[in-house]
Each structure stands twice: as C-alpha cells, then as structure tokens.
Amino acid sequence: MDVGFIGLGNMGAAMACSLLKAGHKVTVYNRTRSKAEALAGEGARVAASIADACRGEVVLSMLADDHAVEGVVCGEGGILHSLAEERIHISMSTISVALSERLARLHKEKHQTYATATVFGRPEAAAAGKLFVVAAGPVKAIEKCQTLFDAMGQKTFVVGEKADDANLVKLSGNFLIAATIESLGEAVALVRKSGIDAHRFVEILTGTLFSAPVYNTYGAIIASETYDPAGFKMALGLKDIKLALAAAETLNVPLPIASLVRDHFLSGLAQGQGDSDWAALARIAAKNSGL
C-alpha cells in the first residue's frame, strides 16, 4: 500500500520501519527532517512537506499531543487541506476525545475519511511489530488499513464506527497503566523500607498473581530504578491522565485514583523529572517514604 507517515518520534519511527519491512511504500515526514532522512536507508521516501506525505492512499499520523495533531491536520498546508477526497487519515496519536470528534467532522466536510488506530506498547514493542492496535471508524476504512495494522501490531481490536471511541479506550487504558505504576511504586517503597530486596519482591509478584505484561515491564524498571532514557516520558503521562479526567468529567464519571496520579505526576514535573520515564512515579513514592 502507498502510505504516508507523519511523526517520527520513538514510536513513530519504529512503526514506519515495520511498514517498510512488510513491503509497503512509505513516505515519511517529520518536522525535524533528519529523523525522516534516517529512514531513507530503510527504503522510505522523505517528504518535503506534510502535503507531500498525503499523496498516497492513506496517511498515518503519530504525534505527541493535541496541539501537534491540530497543527499538522488543520494548519496551513496540513492534512485537511492536502488529502484528496475519499482518501484516508488514520490518527494513531493519543489525543483527546473532543479533538478526535472535531477531526472526524472536519474530514467529513472535506469528503475525506477519518479513523483512529491508537496503540498499546512501548518503543521496543513497536520496533518488533508487536503493538496492540485499537481501531475505530468507518468499516471500509478499517478493513482497507488492516494490512497496515498487521504490520505494526500483533492484534487489532475494533471498537466501533465512532472514531473517538478508540481514543477513549486508549486513555482509559493509560489511566490503568499509570495507576498500576503508582501502586507498584508504593508497594516497592514499602518492602524496600523494611529491607526486602525489590527485585526479589517483583519476581514473587510476577511469578504468582501478577504475571501480566504491565507488571513485568514496570516492575523491572521500578526495581532497577532505570528511568532514563524514557520509553514514555512522565510529561506525556501527565498529559494522558489530564485527557482521561477531561473525558470522565464530560461523562460525569468520577476518577479519584486518576486525580491522585495526576498530582503525583505534577510533583514529578515540579522536581524536574518530566523527561524521565513515567515509571519514575515510583520515585515520588520512595521520596514520600523517606527513601
């Protein structure tokens, strides 16, 4: 498939590589051109502009936040003004439900197709093509892009035809991951304070009742205190928790644990940890415990 890919951060670059390895024709664009040029050796064509990346059948965007997505889609020379009628924009970014709803409306007005395909997984999973894809949008668009999802992920979950439903699932999932990191950090602080080895504690957890990937991944990071370089920055974790809380407020759903986690993320940023992995929430628990 002839596809454009916009946004080549830790996740986006790995995802674009997976598409190339699967034999797709990929045109890449990134605001920092050197990141796009780094993929030229893998077979990617480097776009000179956003519009240049919108000439294929589908354009995928993987960007950091609402501001970045809105600029790339709605700005001068952006996707909205460059994509041909009936062509598809798949947003893979973790953005607000409200923005996703707006993008769906704007693309429809332009006779373009908009869908979402948010992903669960860290950069190492993206590099291995082992992400989990959560897709939503028009059925024909999802079906057409399934080969792309298969190249980037190990399984695709389709949640409906309303594109922003996938965004809500992603935000709810990231809230659960953050809550798990928070509780792991508190538990590890408790056992460390008593002199128990953190690695042994995590081994017991993950070898018994808590064998899920999230406990294995973040338990190891917290026990080793390896928060840098970040796989997913704390500043982005705060962004996602804020978006989850905003969606919950719209639906009149209280999320008291999310509010606690938001405050601890804010403490982390106030202490200069915004660029550390979001697992560094455990540092806050350790500090509060006198460790």
Side-chain angles (χ1 to χ4, degrees), residues 206-273:
T206 57
T208 55
L209 300 179
F210 300 92
S211 59
V214 68
Y215 285 96
N216 281 283
T217 297
Y218 289 105
I221 291 172
I222 291 169
S224 300
E225 298 181 275
T226 51
Y227 305 123
D228 301 287
F232 186 71
K233 292 182 180 181
M234 186 179 285
L236 293 176
L238 174 60
K239 179 264 295 184
D240 288 356
I241 288 296
K242 286 181 175 180
L243 294 181
L245 284 165
E249 183 174 349
T250 299
L251 296 168
N252 294 321
V253 176
L255 295 180
I257 294 174
S259 296
L260 170 69
V261 173
R262 176 201 57 203
D263 288 349
H264 285 181
F265 274 137
L266 285 170
S267 294
L269 265 66
Q271 295 168 29
Q273 299 180 48

Side-chain angles (χ1 to χ4, degrees), residues 157-209:
F157 300 88
V158 179
V159 295
E161 295 188 51
K162 192 163 158 283
D164 57 273
D165 281 351
N167 300 104
L168 185 59
V169 169
K170 170 63 173 177
L171 293 172
S172 300
N174 275 15
F175 156 56
L176 283 171
I177 295 171
T180 299
I181 293 170
E182 171 69 27
S183 59
L184 267 172
E186 292 179 16
V188 169
L190 176 61
V191 299
R192 271 191 169 137
K193 193 72 180 282
S194 68
I196 296 170
D197 181 73
H199 291 280
R200 183 59 174 161
F201 173 63
V202 170
E203 180 185 9
I204 293 167
L205 290 182
T206 57
T208 55
L209 300 179

Side-chain angles (χ1 to χ4, degrees), residues 12-266:
M15 292 159 69
C17 278
S18 291
L19 293 173
L20 289 164
K21 289 175 184 176
H24 295 286
K25 180 182 177 181
V26 184
T27 299
V28 294
Y29 175 82
N30 196 75
R31 184 177 58 180
T32 303
R33 185 180 173 87
S34 60
K35 291 186 177 181
E37 291 174 342
L39 291 179
E42 303 295 328
R45 175 180 172 271
V46 178
S49 64
I50 294 171
D52 195 22
C54 294
R55 303 187 190 283
E57 304 165 73
V58 179
V59 61
L60 309 177
S61 58
M62 185 62 173
L63 300 154
D65 53 28
D66 279 31
H67 177 73
V69 171
E70 191 165 20
V72 164
V73 177
C74 304
E76 184 177 352
I79 294 174
L80 198 64
H81 306 291
S82 304
L83 197 63
E85 291 187 4
E86 309 304 328
R87 297 296 171 89
I88 303 169
H89 171 210
I90 302 285
S91 172
M92 306 192 78
S93 310
T94 303
I95 59 174
S96 68
V97 171
L99 178 58
S100 192
E101 289 176 337
R102 180 170 172 243
L103 294 182
R105 184 176 67 255
L106 291 173
H107 277 296
K108 186 175 182 180
E109 290 171 359
K110 291 282 188 176
H111 305 289
Q112 301 157 348
T113 300
Y114 172 78
T116 55
T118 58
V119 296
F120 286 111
R122 288 170 65 86
E124 54 268 29
K130 296 295 184 183
L131 296 168
F132 291 101
V133 180
V134 180
V139 173
K140 289 184 178 179
I142 299 299
E143 291 177 345
K144 182 178 178 67
C145 294
Q146 187 61 56
T147 57
L148 304 177
F149 305 151
D150 290 342
M152 295 181 284
Q154 58 182 298
K155 188 170 184 178
T156 300
F157 300 88
V158 179
V159 295
E161 295 188 51
K162 192 163 158 283
D164 57 273
D165 281 351
N167 300 104
L168 185 59
V169 169
K170 170 63 173 177
L171 293 172
S172 300
N174 275 15
F175 156 56
L176 283 171
I177 295 171
T180 299
I181 293 170
E182 171 69 27
S183 59
L184 267 172
E186 292 179 16
V188 169
L190 176 61
V191 299
R192 271 191 169 137
K193 193 72 180 282
S194 68
I196 296 170
D197 181 73
H199 291 280
R200 183 59 174 161
F201 173 63
V202 170
E203 180 185 9
I204 293 167
L205 290 182
T206 57
T208 55
L209 300 179
F210 300 92
S211 59
V214 68
Y215 285 96
N216 281 283
T217 297
Y218 289 105
I221 291 172
I222 291 169
S224 300
E225 298 181 275
T226 51
Y227 305 123
D228 301 287
F232 186 71
K233 292 182 180 181
M234 186 179 285
L236 293 176
L238 174 60
K239 179 264 295 184
D240 288 356
I241 288 296
K242 286 181 175 180
L243 294 181
L245 284 165
E249 183 174 349
T250 299
L251 296 168
N252 294 321
V253 176
L255 295 180
I257 294 174
S259 296
L260 170 69
V261 173
R262 176 201 57 203
D263 288 349
H264 285 181
F265 274 137
L266 285 170

